[in-house]
């Protein structure tokens, strides 16, 4: 069995994690640019971060037989200062051209503020100008429903964004239908405290179907589990789901979405 | 999975989770007689949803814990995390 973890922050994980993921069947990961748990002191901090994502991390992953791809952006938790955010955006295009950069992400909202929304919209415009895929972070907890609505409204109001090239991540039971009904892709994040469990993810698949939906661990520096995707595969297997369904959620669907970048390549 | 298969597979696990919730509510009471903050008020409303008929309980509880407003806030300066329930003007202690 092979699987893809399409959202995991490997720079926060050890080489042991790569080894365990490879043993569990992981053949590719994609790593969105995000917050590091602290605010970078200057835009140059992002230049170094994007260099790490596009140079160092693919090499580290390939030592374990895992292909590493990434997404480039200024994340919503550090987007409250528009001057700072625009300076980061000024050098995003050169990184988007790199062979393992799949698109703009994870952009989105955190506290649903005006500045966050402005920088989100500007990065959607940047993605549209450069014909990039978009990966979207939705806020946590009480902010998720409102943030998801604001994000969908902003995307639809442009009129030139193909929802089939946008994945809206961290959906839960109250947002998954909003996302799928508008034609976007939906990501379910298996994150113990604030998002989904393997059981609830399997429930969502049973309730809303297997079209345009993927699962990921979002493993990072917090309480998270880099083996959450294979654990969800086992949960679905225990419930009697067909192997083809399990593979679809954890391999074929992410493969179909990510291949639209023209860069993502994984052996089937 | 059939209704019976779901119960057979998950009953013990969720019996334990139910007791965790009960013990948590007891712990809150033992902590003193002062009233609930907005999070516990929302938690008690959510517990009541568990006993309501019909499916979509997870969805209804998530909606109940969500910010119901629809305009962006003026600034996120100094704000990073979330509380798990909507303060509705209050801030947690
Ligand atoms: Zn992430």
């Amino acid at each position: 069995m092979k699987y893809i973890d399409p959202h995991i922050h490997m720079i926060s994980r050890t080489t042991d994690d790569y080894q365990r993921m490879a043993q569990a069947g992981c053949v590719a990961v994609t790593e969105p640019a995000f917050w590091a748990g602290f605010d970078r002191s200057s835009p140059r901090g992002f230049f170094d971060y994007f260099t790490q994502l596009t140079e160092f991390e693919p090499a580290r992953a390939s030592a374990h037989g895992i292909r590493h791809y990434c997404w480039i952006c200024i994340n919503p938790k550090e987007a409250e200062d528009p001057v700072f955010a625009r300076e980061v955006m000024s050098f995003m295009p050169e990184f988007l051209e790199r062979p393992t950069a799949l698109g703009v992400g994870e952009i989105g909202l955190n506290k649903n503020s005006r500045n966050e929304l402005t920088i989100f919209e500007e990065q959607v415009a940047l993605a549209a100008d450069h014909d990039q895929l978009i990966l979207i972070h939705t806020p946590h907890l009480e902010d998720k429903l409102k943030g998801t609505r604001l994000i969908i409204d902003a995307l639809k109001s442009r009129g030139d964004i193909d929802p089939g090239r946008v994945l809206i991540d961290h959906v839960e039971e109250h947002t998954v239908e909003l996302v799928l009904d508008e034609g976007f892709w939906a990501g379910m994040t298996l994150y113990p405290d604030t998002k989904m469990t393997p059981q609830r993810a399997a429930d969502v698949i049973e309730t809303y179907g297997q079209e345009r939906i993927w699962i990921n661990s979002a493993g990072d520096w917090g309480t998270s589990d880099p083996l959450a995707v294979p654990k969800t595969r086992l949960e679905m297997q225990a419930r009697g789901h067909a192997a083809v369904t399990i593979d679809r959620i954890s391999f074929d669907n992410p493969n179909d979405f990510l291949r639209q970048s023209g860069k993502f390549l994984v052996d089937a | 999975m059939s209704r019976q298969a779901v119960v057979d597979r998950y009953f013990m696990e969720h019996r334990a989770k139910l007791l965790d919730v009960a013990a948590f509510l007891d712990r809150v009471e033992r902590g003193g007689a002062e009233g609930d903050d907005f999070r516990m008020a929302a938690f008690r409303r959510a517990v009541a949803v568990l006993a309501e008929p019909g499916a979509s309980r997870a969805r209804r509880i998530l909606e109940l814990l969500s910010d119901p407003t629809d305009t962006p806030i003026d600034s996120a300066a100094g704000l990073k995390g979330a509380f798990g329930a909507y303060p509705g003007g209050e801030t947690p202690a």
Side-chain angles (χ1 to χ4, degrees):
Chain A
M1 68 165 233
K2 291 177 177 177
Y3 77 88
I4 297 165
D5 192 337
H7 185 149
I8 183 163
H9 300 282
M10 290 309 298
I11 67 156
S12 303
R13 311 298 315 191
T14 62
T15 5
D16 288 353
D17 286 339
Y18 272 124
Q19 192 173 32
R20 278 190 278 263
M21 290 164 67
Q23 284 166 347
C26 183
V27 292
V29 295
T30 91
E31 174 156 3
F34 201 56
W35 189 53
F38 65 96
D39 291 351
R40 278 100 172 169
S41 61
S42 86
R44 284 311 280 187
F46 283 89
F47 192 95
D48 293 342
Y49 176 44
F50 298 160
T51 302
Q52 182 180 15
L53 286 178
T54 52
E55 293 177 15
F56 180 73
E57 209 55 40
R60 203 162 77 101
S62 79
H64 298 278
I66 294 176
R67 290 181 198 255
H68 181 284
Y69 295 90
C70 70
W71 303 78
I72 300 294
C73 79
I74 169 81
N75 69 79
K77 288 205 183 199
E78 289 171 283
E80 185 61 22
D81 176 352
V83 175
F84 185 104
R86 287 176 189 133
E87 198 169 331
V88 175
M89 287 165 62
S90 72
F91 52 76
M92 278 171 54
E94 66 185 274
F95 285 98
L96 289 169
E97 282 171 17
R98 299 220 168 161
T100 54
L102 303 182
V104 174
E106 53 186 307
I107 55 171
L109 299 174
N110 179 51
K111 293 306 293 180
N112 303 322
S113 74
R114 285 181 207 291
N115 284 350
E116 288 174 8
L117 189 58
T118 299
I119 296 303
F120 169 73
E121 289 169 340
E122 290 180 17
Q123 292 192 94
V124 169
L126 190 151
D129 290 347
H130 292 79
D131 198 26
Q132 297 288 311
L133 294 179
I134 299 175
L135 179 62
I136 294 179
H137 166 93
T138 53
H140 303 310
L141 303 167
E142 74 270 20
D143 300 316
K144 184 179 299 294
L145 181 59
K146 173 178 173 178
T148 304
R149 287 182 175 141
L150 288 169
I151 284 165
I152 291 175
D153 287 348
L155 290 167
K156 283 175 66 187
S157 73
R158 282 184 61 96
D160 65 343
I161 301 295
D162 172 2
R165 290 173 55 83
V166 178
L167 185 126
I168 300 182
D169 217 331
H170 316 320
V171 301
E172 291 184 71
E173 288 87 342
H174 58 328
T175 56
V176 62
E177 216 171 359
L178 293 175
V179 169
L180 292 175
D181 283 356
E182 296 292 347
F184 298 105
W185 283 71
M188 282 190 287
T189 296
L190 309 147
Y191 202 94
D193 295 337
T194 53
K195 301 177 187 92
M196 277 259 168
T197 60
Q199 294 179 358
R200 283 171 56 204
D203 292 337
V204 167
I205 290 158
E206 289 163 8
T207 307
Y208 298 100
Q210 359 166 336
E211 285 272 327
R212 285 181 284 114
I213 194 160
W214 79 25
I215 53 176
N216 60 69
S217 71
D220 60 8
W221 45 268
T223 308
S224 51
D225 180 3
L227 296 179
V229 172
K231 285 176 184 170
T232 305
R233 288 177 55 98
L234 290 173
E235 170 68 21
M236 291 179 69
Q237 200 176 61
R239 292 188 187 190
H241 285 282
V244 61
T245 306
I246 300 170
D247 288 342
R248 184 163 182 197
I249 298 301
S250 57
F251 186 90
D252 300 313
N253 279 358
N255 191 26
D256 287 348
F257 178 79
L258 298 165
R259 265 189 325 196
Q260 298 180 89
S261 65
K263 296 177 181 173
F264 185 82
L265 190 67
V266 72
D267 303 322
Chain B
M1 281 200 293
S2 71
R3 192 177 182 114
Q4 193 58 50
V6 171
V7 174
D8 289 345
R9 180 170 167 81
Y10 296 110
F11 178 80
M12 287 302 273
E13 180 186 345
H14 293 87
R15 176 186 185 277
K17 288 181 177 173
L18 182 63
L19 286 165
D20 276 344
V21 171
F24 166 60
L25 292 172
D26 290 346
R27 205 175 305 139
V28 169
E29 307 258 307
R30 274 205 314 283
E34 64 270 27
D36 288 333
D37 75 4
F38 72 94
R39 292 169 300 179
M40 283 311 297
F43 194 95
R44 290 181 200 281
R45 288 197 301 276
V47 168
V49 172
L50 298 177
E52 286 176 7
S56 310
R57 290 182 188 83
R59 178 185 181 149
R60 279 182 279 151
I61 287 177
L62 284 164
E63 286 169 351
L64 187 154
L65 296 171
S66 294
D67 178 348
T69 65
D70 56 11
T71 48
I73 62 170
D74 287 336
S75 169
L79 304 173
K80 277 281 196 256
F83 304 116
Y86 179 60
E90 294 176 60
T91 40

